[in-house]
Amino acid sequence: MSRIAYFGPRGTFTEQATRALTDGDELVPAETIHAALAAVRKGEADGACVPVENSVEGAVTATLDGLAEDEPPLVAVAEALLPVHFTVVTGSGGGPIRTVASHPHALAQVREWLLVNLPEARPTAASSTAAAAVGVVEGQFDAAVVAPVAVEHYSLDVLATGVADVADARTRFVLVRPPGELPEPTGHDRTSIVAAAANRTGTLARLLAELASRGINLTRLDARPIKGNFGHYRFFVDFEGHVSEPRIGDALAGLRRQCAEVRFLGSHARADGVAATIDSGAGNDVFTGATDWVDAIRRGELA
Amino acid sequence: MSRIAYFGPRGTFTEQATRALTDGDELVPAETIHAALAAVRKGEADGACVPVENSVEGAVTATLDGLAEDEPPLVAVAEALLPVHFTVVTGSGGGPIRTVASHPHALAQVREWLLVNLPEARPTAASSTAAAAVGVVEGQFDAAVVAPVAVEHYSLDVLATGVADVADARTRFVLVRPPGELPEPTGHDRTSIVAAAANRTGTLARLLAELASRGINLTRLDARPIKGNFGHYRFFVDFEGHVSEPRIGDALAGLRRQCAEVRFLGSHARADGVAATIDSGAGNDVFTGATDWVDAIRRGELA
């Protein structure tokens, strides 16, 4: 059994993702994303589960910076995709609902639902969805907007499930570990890197050309300024494929030549199971065939 | 005098930015970013001030989506860059500080300061920094972490100013208006566009090549999934220069040819005053010279 840290507290979406990505492991909540990653770096945990991106809110910058900046590097080995569907809970006492608590981000994502369904309830900020659940248990709030998993921890009545103003909002989480054996390629993989580059004209265009010229499809790109190094950027690039494939290895070597600093952040199966798009002329057989051809020329067997 | 909507409530960093960007105008707080932009679209306000990006938290996705999606388009005419330095306030009663309230984002950005300076105070979530200030006035909290401008609205004692764990955290705000006369070019301008494109291999590389091949320097890039159109992305691209310059106009025309949908989001002076980097061979004289040469060939005067 391993020990997996996650961005807590208990009863949040991240706990739910951690459960989906582990099997009988000991799950340890950490107070911040930084603390969850640090637990692995210090050897106090074998892995950590953290959110990476939300389809409404965008990138989770604390995770990106934490994976890019600190030592030693960590590598994502699996991902989970969770729909952001909230459960609205009340205390078991019944009675009128005058306050409804949650993290301000969660309140913003159910604003329209609350206007229609609980127009008399005053939205009230809490430090997390789980803290709002605790507040209901303790009688501080009449209702709370929480992650579905919260009802497993706290004695609460469920008023509604599947609540979300944007129906297809999703958050992606990754399970990271210290570098080691990589997951097997599946044909529907995602590879992630972070590259640092000076802010010069055309830097990013050249970097992306390394992928485009090899027919590799991007799935995400985030540019983040580097703290304390004005005008320098880090590019977080996710693309289809697995580092064990010849075409992906060739592209990574090309990126390594372009950038002073590149960090490999993992190759693992995509949670949505979408297979890699590989144009004709960009398959692994084409890459090995081309290398074999150069080798044959060097041996004087072909021209 | 014009009427300028801003993402409220009163007493927040956005109000502070709005004051910096206006002069004697009537300032009207709006409850959400969407509502501030909608006020201009409905003709209820002449302009709106909204946050665009924060150096720690990243892009403000509600602003990006709001500028890209809704009709009619709005155009940024000015920007402000505010250091995220908080003021810590208390009620005028004195007494021990047992609770300190703010928006969870603000609490996260002063976490270390609170541990050192107010270790006995329990951090407590509020729906905004301004709501925390009101909570102190009403005796609900002992202290609050607020925007400097809050002390002008509420009767509060200042415990500390310039509070921030990350010293150089900054937020950029823009003032948007309906399309009309553009600001004059200054030599230190920023142009912003949003382009929608299908998720095909090399799409973004081709798009950025339109800028790189003309020696135009990127200042920001954000890729956002398009709601309800799975696998399609919007690219928010900021770059140096003003649309009135030949080199920038030429690049915009190139982008227009590449993308089914491009929206111009504004050309205006950069708040940091950084002049555009223009490599030799990429100046406006080179662009007009090249166009003149083609014209002369067409007239049969040159070859």
Side-chain angles (χ1 to χ4, degrees):
Chain A
M1 193 178 84
S2 22
R3 192 177 155 85
I4 306 295
Y6 67 94
F7 173 40
R10 289 197 319 161
T12 61
F13 281 101
T14 310
E15 187 202 351
Q16 211 167 314
T18 313
R19 288 193 188 191
L21 288 170
T22 55
D23 185 16
D25 299 301
E26 182 192 358
L27 308 188
V28 189
E31 205 187 329
T32 61
I33 287 172
H34 180 264
L37 299 176
V40 187
R41 289 183 162 125
K42 288 186 276 186
E44 295 165 7
D46 303 297
C49 182
V50 289
V52 174
E53 57 173 335
N54 174 273
S55 58
V56 177
E57 303 281 345
V60 180
T61 56
T63 295
L64 297 187
D65 291 349
L67 290 175
E69 277 168 18
D70 298 319
E71 294 293 337
L74 300 173
V75 170
V77 295
E79 69 175 31
L81 206 55
L82 248 62
V84 185
H85 290 169
F86 296 93
T87 296
V88 180
V89 294
T90 59
S92 42
I97 298 174
R98 295 205 186 85
T99 53
V100 53
S102 199
H103 189 279
H105 277 198
L107 289 174
Q109 290 187 41
V110 299
R111 199 169 158 270
E112 290 166 32
W113 189 93
L114 291 176
L115 283 175
V116 172
N117 294 281
L118 291 174
E120 307 293 319
R122 187 164 51 85
T124 307
S127 62
S128 69
T129 56
V134 171
V136 172
V137 170
E138 294 176 350
Q140 195 182 349
F141 313 118
D142 299 323
V145 177
V146 301
V149 73
V151 300
E152 299 182 27
H153 293 298
Y154 308 108
S155 172
L156 295 159
D157 282 359
V158 172
L159 187 69
T161 59
V163 174
D165 291 347
V166 177
D168 59 352
R170 291 178 299 182
T171 302
R172 191 162 65 88
F173 300 83
V174 286
L175 180 65
V176 299
R177 292 183 182 277
E181 203 181 338
L182 299 177
E184 291 290 318
T186 63
H188 51 88
D189 302 298
R190 191 192 309 280
T191 292
S192 306
I193 61 137
V194 53
N199 180 18
R200 279 203 297 270
T201 304
T203 298
L204 183 57
R206 274 194 301 277
L207 208 147
L208 296 185
E210 294 288 345
L211 299 170
S213 70
R214 291 170 179 87
I216 297 169
N217 203 20
L218 280 191
T219 59
R220 189 172 64 92
L221 186 135
D222 282 297
R224 299 264 308 139
I226 300 179
K227 280 177 211 154
N229 196 352
F230 190 77
H232 282 62
Y233 280 78
R234 280 208 188 86
F235 301 107
F236 294 84
V237 190
D238 286 4
F239 44 88
E240 295 178 353
H242 192 287
V243 66
S244 65
E245 296 178 65
R247 63 192 192 94
I248 303 298
D250 199 61
L252 279 190
L255 290 170
R256 187 78 185 78
R257 293 190 295 267
Q258 295 274 357
C259 304
E261 192 194 309
V262 197
R263 187 179 274 195
F264 172 70
L265 299 179
S267 283
H268 54 76
R270 289 175 67 151
D272 58 13
V274 174
T277 305
I278 305 182
D279 297 337
S280 71
N284 287 314
D285 53 336
V286 177
F287 277 81
T288 48
T291 317
D292 292 349
W293 180 72
V294 173
D295 288 345
I297 289 173
R298 285 174 173 164
R299 288 193 303 267
E301 294 167 12
L302 278 177
Chain B
M1 193 179 83
S2 20
R3 192 176 155 85
I4 306 295
Y6 67 94
F7 173 41
R10 288 198 319 162
T12 60
F13 281 102
T14 310
E15 188 202 351
Q16 211 167 315
T18 313
R19 288 192 188 191
L21 288 170
T22 56
D23 184 17
D25 299 302
E26 182 192 358
L27 308 187
V28 188
E31 205 187 329
T32 62
I33 287 171
H34 181 263
L37 298 176
V40 186
R41 289 183 162 126
K42 287 186 277 188
E44 294 164 8
D46 303 297
C49 182
V50 289
V52 174
E53 57 172 335
N54 173 275
S55 58
V56 176
E57 304 280 345
V60 180
T61 56
T63 295
L64 296 188
D65 292 349
L67 291 175
E69 277 168 18
D70 299 319
E71 294 294 338
L74 300 173
V75 171
V77 294
E79 68 176 30
L81 204 56
L82 248 61
V84 186
H85 290 169
F86 296 94
T87 295
V88 180
V89 294
T90 60
S92 42
I97 299 174
R98 296 207 184 84
T99 52
V100 54
S102 198
H103 190 279
H105 276 199
L107 289 174
Q109 290 187 42
V110 299
R111 199 168 158 270
E112 290 166 32
W113 188 93
L114 291 176
L115 283 175
V116 172
N117 295 281
L118 292 174
E120 308 293 319
R122 187 164 51 84
T124 306
S127 62
S128 69
T129 55
V134 172
V136 171
V137 171
E138 294 176 351
Q140 196 183 348
F141 314 117
D142 300 323
V145 177
V146 301
V149 74
V151 300
E152 300 183 25
H153 294 299
Y154 307 108
S155 172
L156 294 160
D157 282 359
V158 173
L159 188 67
T161 58
V163 174
D165 291 347
V166 178
D168 60 352
R170 291 178 299 183
T171 302
R172 190 162 65 90
F173 300 83
V174 286
L175 179 66
V176 299
R177 293 185 181 276
E181 202 181 338
L182 299 177
E184 291 290 318
T186 63
H188 51 88
D189 301 299
R190 191 192 308 282
T191 292
S192 306
I193 61 137
V194 53
N199 179 18
R200 278 202 299 270
T201 304
T203 298
L204 182 57
R206 274 194 301 279
L207 208 146
L208 296 185
E210 294 288 347
L211 299 170
S213 71
R214 291 171 180 87
I216 296 169
N217 202 20
L218 280 192
T219 58
R220 190 172 63 93
L221 186 135
D222 283 295
R224 298 264 310 140
I226 300 179
K227 280 177 211 155
N229 196 352
F230 190 78
H232 282 61
Y233 280 79
R234 279 208 189 87
F235 302 107
F236 294 83
V237 190
D238 285 5
F239 45 89
E240 296 177 353
H242 192 287
V243 66
S244 66
E245 296 178 65
R247 62 192 193 95
I248 302 298
D250 198 61
L252 277 189
L255 291 169
R256 187 76 185 80
R257 293 190 294 268
Q258 295 273 355
C259 303
E261 191 194 309
V262 197
R263 186 178 275 195
F264 172 70
L265 299 180
S267 283
H268 53 76
R270 290 174 67 153
D272 58 14
V274 174
T277 305
I278 306 181
D279 297 337
S280 72
N284 287 314
D285 53 336
V286 178
F287 277 81
T288 47
T291 317
D292 291 349
W293 180 72
V294 173
D295 288 346
I297 288 174
R298 286 176 173 163
R299 287 194 305 269
E301 295 166 10
L302 277 178

